[in-house]
Amino acid sequence: MRYTVAMDFSFRPLTKEDFELILEWLNKPHVKKWWRDQKDTLDEIEKKYGGRIEGDDPTDCYIAEIDNTPIGFIQSYPINDYPEHARSIPLDNAVGIDLFIGKEDFTGKGFGTKLLEQFVKKVLRVRYPDARFVVADPEVANVASVRAFQKAGFRKGKIVSGEHGPEQLMIFEL
């Protein structure tokens, strides 16, 4: 018999109070495997995410929660605000996203798929009403991530060059 778990996510903006949690999550093996360019100290976390919190950077960062329990991190940004990245994504009016589930108990159980579905519906459609596409580019080797995007309604696009290897462009039409 199969049971369905209700997963109602809420998304709140990242705050400086979350930096210790972000640092903890980024140092977990299941996250560090794919987020290799991240930072290892609170000062580095502050430097990377402080401008995003202050609005000096076009990337919006959120903590994903279930029943007020933080389980992951997700960020979104207009692709055209990052011209080098935009050159590899041939879509107009696209919003990029990146995410990870930090709490290991929530990996491999379908939470990533539901997080993606609800983030698009609850945040992106409101935050970027003129956007036509949502895109992500997990590494091809990150099979679980690619599969979560597909289950959430994203389709595979072209393979693009990434810093750590080939990346699978994932596209969702709004």
Side-chain angles (χ1 to χ4, degrees), residues 26-163:
L26 288 171
N27 282 293
K28 291 195 175 280
H30 75 282
V31 176
K32 197 172 191 95
K33 181 177 183 177
W34 305 112
W35 285 64
R36 294 181 293 271
D37 64 335
Q38 296 304 306
K39 309 305 179 193
D40 297 319
T41 68
L42 277 175
D43 285 342
E44 290 174 321
I45 295 293
E46 167 89 32
K47 223 179 251 187
K48 176 153 183 112
Y49 295 102
R52 295 174 183 186
I53 290 171
E54 301 298 324
D56 299 331
D57 183 299
T59 301
D60 296 326
C61 300
Y62 302 89
I63 296 292
E65 299 179 329
I66 296 176
D67 295 329
N68 296 318
T69 300
I71 69 143
F73 169 84
I74 189 163
Q75 62 185 17
S76 61
Y77 47 91
I79 291 291
N80 289 335
D81 284 349
Y82 295 91
E84 187 175 317
H85 189 49
R87 282 193 285 280
S88 68
I89 299 171
L91 299 168
D92 291 328
N93 297 323
V95 175
I97 58 171
D98 305 295
L99 71 147
F100 62 79
I101 294 184
K103 286 187 72 94
E104 292 166 285
D105 295 352
F106 290 84
T107 61
K109 299 176 182 163
F111 285 91
T113 298
K114 292 296 181 188
L115 186 154
L116 285 163
E117 291 171 347
Q118 291 182 29
F119 188 73
V120 167
K121 180 181 176 183
K122 293 178 178 181
V123 178
L124 296 183
R125 289 185 188 272
V126 174
R127 174 76 173 96
Y128 304 101
D130 296 330
R132 294 184 44 225
F133 302 97
V134 180
V135 297
D137 49 4
E139 290 182 45
V140 170
N142 191 345
V143 176
S145 182
V146 172
R147 184 176 161 126
F149 278 104
Q150 285 182 292
K151 286 179 157 183
F154 286 70
R155 67 175 167 80
K156 286 183 176 182
K158 68 180 183 174
I159 304 280
V160 296
S161 233
E163 184 178 345

